[in-house]
Amino acid sequence: MATPTRALVVVEDYAEILCLIIIAEMAAVEAQKMADLAGPGIGNYGDVANILPANYSSLLTPKETQIAIFEMKKYIEANLCKELNLIMTQVPLIVDTTSGVNDLLDRDGSRTPIGFHIKNDHGQNPIDAEVVQAATKWKRHALKQYGMGAGEGIVTDMKAVRKDYFLDHDHSAYVDQWDWELVMTPEQRNLAFLKEVVQKIWKVLKGAERHVQEMFPQLADPKYPNLPEELKFIHAEEILEKYPDLPRKERETRIAREYGAVFIIGIGWTLKDGHPHEMRAADYDDWVTETEANGIKLHGLNGDILVWNSVTGRRHELSSMGIRVNAETLVKQLEMTGQTDFLRQPYHQGIVTGDLPLSVGGGIGQSRTYMLLLKKAHIGEVSVTVWPKVLKDMCKERNIHVLE
């Protein structure tokens, strides 16, 4: 029989072990959340293998797929222009490194653009240039350059290269987007206006789904349900409260499965768990402005459209957008991220001085949209780019025909 002293030691040891286990579990969750902020993509090909469907058969032939892609492209471009009062414009593939207009995508420096030197004039008048990662910041210059007034805007057929992506089922190094930007007034810098814009974009995407299914009725397959008519608006803080122990991508998967389609507000602001929902650059979207929902103070005038992908059984991002920073919020966000040196660059100076117009804008992934609406298992079925052999072999085993 254990003596009281010995029993006390055993209890204390057990409590200490239990405490260590809890600390270890909390550390594991924290580490997973940190890793989840590192950028897009699944992260390893073992997990990709679990995402790709085993018994897959495309609903369209390769020829039909190409016809459907360009029909959707025409529909979406025409209707974005109609709904948001935009015009199609040219967009750069390369930009001057010193301009500050290239998109760094996040704020931890993990995704850098491809840079190269143009010797020009036998080296007498050289240029250091970069391949764009997105046209996010360039578009505010374009609004001014094209003389756009309040309520007018542009949309571009943007092509980019993102060399630091992990290449999986819906991320490629080659990126194509409808990059759009709309001039707005100071009075429109609020959540209600952002939601109004998002609803118009959702209307276009739902219309594109109906349009392509009229052309190819086999796409209306009950095995792969259509997008919901309504988009659910929810703040990143609300999702964290709902799933406090899950990392960001798993939270997104749960919420997308629950509602079918969501617009997640407030991406970039640090949430109650000490992490932002996702890292977001400090010099375009406004993620610092205070807002309110149900009497609760929140932050952010930006967000992402995510939907449930019934082919891959996973969350699927279609668009990222937001009301852009003004002079005040630009400085505040750069101070928070320790990047105030950016304020010397022409783009940032244009915002601080008021030379560049206030705007709302975003990007809609073209191949992502085609992949979803054509019920494809891999983005390589609708986009021609490079893939590692391990991924091509994996797709071939599953009857997924990646374009080359």
Side-chain angles (χ1 to χ4, degrees), residues 32 48 58 83 104 115 149 154 168 188 206 233 240 249 275 288 303 359 377 390:
Q32 194 174 7
V48 174
S58 175
E83 291 295 328
L104 299 181
I154 64 171
D168 57 22
Q188 291 173 320
K206 279 295 297 177
F233 289 91
L240 176 63
K249 288 170 194 166
H275 302 290
V288 76
S359 66
V390 62

Side-chain angles (χ1 to χ4, degrees), residues 72-88:
M72 280 194 291
K73 189 174 190 298
K74 286 189 292 185
Y75 179 94
I76 290 172
E77 288 173 357
N79 283 276
L80 281 175
C81 288
K82 177 183 175 183
E83 291 295 328
L84 295 176
N85 194 30
L86 311 176
I87 63 168
M88 292 290 300

